[in-house]
Amino acid sequence: MSVKSRILLFLLSFYAYPAIAQLSILPVFGDQPIAENTWYVSTQGDSIQFDNIRFYLSNIQFEMDDKTWIKDSVSAHLIDVFDPATLHIALKKIDLKRLKTIHFNLGIDSLTNVSGALGGDLDPQKGMYWAWQSGYINLKIEGRSPRCKTRKNIFQYHIGGYLQPFYSMRKVELSVKNAVAHRNQGAIPQGVILAVDFSLFFGNLSIATQNSIMMPGKAAMQLADYSTSMFSIHAPKN
Amino acid sequence: MRLKTKHVIYCLFGFLTLLIYAFSERKTTPMPLVIPEGWPKPVYNFTKNPLTKEGFELGRQLFYDPILSRDSTISCASCHLQATAFTHVDHDLSHGIEGKVGTRNSMAIMNVAWSKNFMWDGGVNHLDMQPLAPLSSSVEMDEQLEQVIQKLSRAKKYKTLFFKAFNDSLATGQKMLLAFSQFTLHLNSYNSKYDKYIRNEAGGDFTEQEKNGLQLFRKHCASCHTEPLFTNQNFEKNGLPIDSTLNDLGRFTITRLPVDSFKFKVPTLRNIQFTFPYMHDGRFKKLREVLNHYTETNALKTQIVLSSNEKADIIAFLLTLTDNDFLFDKRFGFPRD
């Protein structure tokens, strides 16, 4: 690159690209937002508190009404429910009025899993990687419930695995047609809200007996199946 | 007025030089892997981690640095010593932090660019990811990756080393892992007497006994311990009776497929003279015991029959796999600076 164009680029970078829109992740439990040190009650009647919820959204793609597809420039985002900075993903150059369907993966695909040391949100330093049996943890949910007769009543779900037959990444596809209209349009201008309702995960599961899933296998596959039902979108309606 | 314009021009000029400096990249020195003639293509993808002298040096410092363990007592080299082809000599089960004993015998680190899976059960799917296992194991180095990176970021020495290797002084998990690979990838053994025999070089004259040993080896052992790497890179069952104190199911632990029960990664036999004790649990101290195992009735699908002399011949051959160039290569040793 010539020095001239480098300087031009450098100067341009001062004008922070206006993010035209953003994808905001809204973690909820039924109709309550998820917060620390807060008790929730599942449809099974279990009291639950969360200490840590983290998951990967990868390969996000937007299908527009003219059948064109727009790919997110970042291959994977690590979402940490208790870290607000991770709950907003900027979408450049996407006209939300023309958006038809959002596609993404919950978790990391098998090719990425065998690609060696990666950076950014995929850096194993982020704590979403298994050391003794290589592979990304797609979804981590940790917390407490008096129903768990474990040390400190802890439950831990670390869902991952990239080898068949226990490939636990899940594809999710959400049509804007079925989106719930925004309630808080004021707070999030021009955005799509991706709600993640953890009550739907816990509605499926008997935490008294299933409270520690820490490796790939049948149980992880089942939880991965449950986890896709948590996602829904809320979009501005014209 | 003129003065002001001059000032502006000087300022701009200074700014420009700074900019150019900021964008210019530091040069690293390529240090490609030696691929001996007749060897297969390495499995490791070098395009994602081009080997450089600076990367190798960073990897070597990391490999020998106990800063990586929780109480700064254990380094990779504690269990992987150069003099014994980078394995833990004379320990059946490796021990690590506070003397805690692990569940498996340490493996030799050699010719890893040709390996697809790592560890006795192949649980690690890429060389880059291998250091994560000892770093986080509570019986080995017992440290969280995040903490390791913080320690490295605080050390001035590593700021310089990371900058030289990656043109960026910031330590990250990714860069640390890539640097470990830069070092271990170079731990190649290809100058044993056997290699010289194959290449028809000076120092490669086999005795009749060694020649006979090689023939017997090719007949009975090479289906798994395939030349030139002395492993077919697969997981195989070699008929060891299970040690009920460990109940190690090997490859099954990873794949959960019943056919994989008791299968283990076929280890290389290079430098086998020094990598005792043998097998995943270090149950044999002597090569003679290994050969006695292989001739037991139920060890392998087709039983191997060997006379006592033939066993001695195979052992004589196995000793030709010792590579002193490798075992004493100063580039791989403790970094004295």
Side-chain angles (χ1 to χ4, degrees):
Chain A
M1 207 194 291
S2 73
V3 175
K4 233 168 146 185
S5 51
R6 277 182 179 178
I7 294 167
L8 197 71
L9 257 180
F10 179 76
L11 292 176
L12 266 178
S13 69
F14 283 115
Y15 295 89
Y17 242 86
I20 298 170
Q22 61 182 353
L23 180 66
S24 298
I25 289 104
L26 179 68
V28 295
F29 198 96
D31 48 17
Q32 295 165 268
I34 295 220
E36 278 167 291
N37 304 316
T38 308
W39 287 105
Y40 303 93
V41 181
S42 77
T43 50
Q44 308 235 12
D46 302 322
S47 295
I48 294 169
Q49 212 176 75
F50 296 104
D51 299 325
N52 184 16
I53 306 179
R54 305 206 292 162
F55 55 91
Y56 278 111
L57 293 185
S58 70
N59 196 25
I60 305 177
Q61 300 193 63
F62 303 90
E63 188 184 346
M64 310 307 282
D65 57 9
D66 60 358
K67 297 206 169 81
T68 54
W69 286 57
I70 300 171
K71 231 177 119 95
D72 181 16
S73 55
V74 177
S75 67
H77 300 269
L78 178 57
I79 310 298
D80 180 340
V81 162
F82 296 125
D83 177 0
T86 67
L87 300 180
H88 301 284
I89 298 172
L91 314 174
K92 281 164 196 165
K93 301 178 190 155
I94 289 177
D95 180 1
L96 289 175
K97 291 201 190 76
R98 292 179 32 237
L99 179 60
K100 200 169 143 236
T101 311
I102 299 183
H103 304 257
F104 61 85
N105 296 335
L106 175 59
I108 302 300
D109 65 33
S110 55
L111 181 65
T112 308
N113 266 288
V114 295
S115 297
L118 302 170
D121 277 359
L122 290 170
D123 193 317
Q125 187 187 348
K126 300 278 180 186
M128 294 290 280
Y129 197 88
W130 275 311
W132 288 91
Q133 175 163 8
S134 296
Y136 284 96
I137 298 169
N138 296 326
L139 166 65
K140 234 186 210 187
I141 305 179
E142 297 172 341
R144 269 162 291 177
S145 168
R147 285 295 289 275
C148 302
K149 302 290 170 239
T150 50
R151 203 178 131 260
K152 297 184 182 168
N153 303 115
I154 277 169
F155 61 80
Q156 286 172 295
Y157 305 107
H158 294 184
I159 300 163
Y162 67 92
L163 281 173
Q164 293 292 9
F166 303 125
Y167 187 15
S168 66
M169 185 197 83
R170 292 291 179 271
K171 284 185 191 304
V172 180
E173 195 184 300
L174 300 166
S175 161
V176 174
K177 238 190 6 216
N178 307 327
V180 184
H182 262 198
R183 267 170 297 172
N184 53 345
Q185 238 156 349
I188 304 164
Q190 285 277 342
V192 178
I193 295 177
L194 181 65
V196 199
D197 184 352
F198 288 88
S199 76
L200 298 172
F201 182 89
F202 284 88
N204 277 311
L205 173 106
S206 148
I207 56 173
T209 52
Q210 249 188 327
N211 43 44
S212 176
I213 309 290
M214 307 281 281
M215 59 184 194
K218 261 197 198 130
M221 289 295 278
Q222 195 182 39
L223 296 192
D225 289 339
Y226 297 158
S227 62
T228 55
S229 67
M230 301 192 293
F231 294 90
S232 62
I233 55 175
H234 299 215
K237 290 252 157 117
N238 315 327
Chain B
M1 191 59 209
R2 268 207 77 77
L3 230 152
K4 257 195 189 153
T5 349
K6 237 184 185 169
H7 261 124
V8 172
I9 289 172
Y10 281 145
C11 274
L12 262 176
F13 191 73
F15 186 60
L16 262 176
T17 352
L18 268 174
L19 258 184
I20 292 164
Y21 182 74
F23 280 113
S24 68
E25 270 181 40
R26 260 196 74 94
K27 282 264 184 299
T28 47
T29 326
M31 183 176 171
L33 183 77
V34 178
I35 300 168
E37 224 187 285
W39 284 34
K41 205 173 155 267
V43 173
Y44 193 85
N45 181 354
F46 296 97
T47 53
K48 289 191 177 162
N49 188 19
L51 302 186
T52 64
K53 221 171 145 279
E54 293 78 7
F56 172 86
E57 196 47 42
L58 170 58
R60 172 161 109 155
Q61 296 280 347
L62 290 166
F63 191 87
Y64 283 96
D65 200 337
I67 190 180
L68 295 172
S69 67
R70 175 169 52 77
D71 60 1
S72 294
T73 56
I74 309 261
S75 72
C76 307
S78 310
C79 298
H80 298 285
L81 285 119
Q82 182 181 13
T84 58
F86 293 96
T87 186
H88 204 180
V89 76
D90 222 10
H91 282 90
D92 50 356
L93 304 175
S94 275
H95 61 185
I97 209 153
E98 290 157 5
K100 287 181 192 159
V101 177
T103 57
R104 288 193 186 142
N105 182 213
S106 153
M107 297 177 90
I109 308 178
M110 264 180 284
N111 308 336
V112 286
W114 285 268
S115 267
K116 200 165 167 283
N117 297 288
F118 299 86
M119 304 308 204
W120 284 109
D121 57 16
V124 172
N125 70 16
H126 195 289
L127 180 65
D128 293 351
M129 302 329 237
Q130 196 286 325
L132 296 173
L135 286 174
S136 63
S137 161
S138 61
V139 290
E140 295 189 359
M141 301 164 88
D142 194 20
E143 185 63 290
Q144 294 293 315
L145 189 56
E146 237 184 309
Q147 251 98 56
V148 174
I149 300 304
Q150 274 175 22
K151 280 200 223 170
L152 294 179
S153 319
R154 283 196 296 266
K156 210 166 151 204
K157 166 176 143 186
Y158 281 107
K159 277 203 183 109
T160 317
L161 288 167
F162 271 95
F163 184 74
K164 280 187 180 161
F166 295 106
N167 199 34
D168 181 356
S169 62
L170 184 74
T172 66
Q174 179 188 31
K175 281 186 260 174
M176 182 190 76
L177 295 174
L178 293 176
F180 269 121
S181 293
Q182 296 249 344
F183 177 68
T184 52
L185 283 164
H186 277 293
L187 303 178
N188 283 352
S189 175
Y190 52 87
N191 275 326
S192 64
K193 184 173 178 185
Y194 156 83
D195 294 296
K196 292 172 186 164
Y197 171 77
I198 296 290
R199 296 194 297 250
N200 264 322
E201 277 173 23
D205 296 329
F206 265 19
T207 63
E208 283 312 308
Q209 192 187 23
E210 288 162 349
K211 277 186 199 157
N212 193 40
L214 173 57
Q215 259 180 7
L216 290 165
F217 180 86
R218 284 185 171 153
K219 182 162 171 222
H220 297 296
C221 319
S223 60
C224 296
H225 300 284
T226 315
E227 296 164 71
L229 291 147
F230 291 89
T231 163
N232 59 5
Q233 308 291 2
N234 271 332
F235 300 91
E236 306 278 358
K237 217 184 293 194
N238 76 341
L240 295 173
I242 188 162
D243 178 336
S244 59
T245 64
L246 298 167
N247 272 321
D248 194 335
L249 297 177
R251 186 66 179 153
F252 172 83
T253 330
I254 304 302
T255 62
R256 303 274 146 195
L257 299 172
V259 294
D260 286 338
S261 296
F262 308 114
K263 283 191 182 171
F264 289 87
K265 179 172 171 176
V266 176
T268 178
L269 300 181
R270 288 180 169 272
N271 296 298
I272 195 75
Q273 183 179 2
F274 295 110
T275 60
F276 60 88
Y278 303 115
M279 305 301 168
H280 69 273
D281 52 7
R283 66 176 72 187
F284 300 133
K285 285 205 170 62
K286 299 216 155 65
L287 287 171
R288 176 58 79 160
E289 294 170 65
V290 172
L291 282 154
N292 289 343
H293 157 70
Y294 278 116
T295 49
E296 300 258 311
T297 1
N298 291 320
L300 299 174
K301 266 194 221 116
T302 39
Q303 200 196 338
I304 299 180
V305 183
L306 294 169
S307 70
S308 181
N309 279 343
E310 286 174 326
K311 287 181 189 172
D313 292 357
I314 292 186
I315 292 172
F317 161 70
L318 290 175
L319 299 185
T320 69
L321 298 176
T322 295
D323 175 358
N324 284 321
D325 288 2
F326 171 70
L327 298 172
F328 296 100
D329 191 327
K330 285 209 168 59
R331 293 175 305 157
F332 306 150
F334 187 85
R336 292 168 219 282
D337 40 7

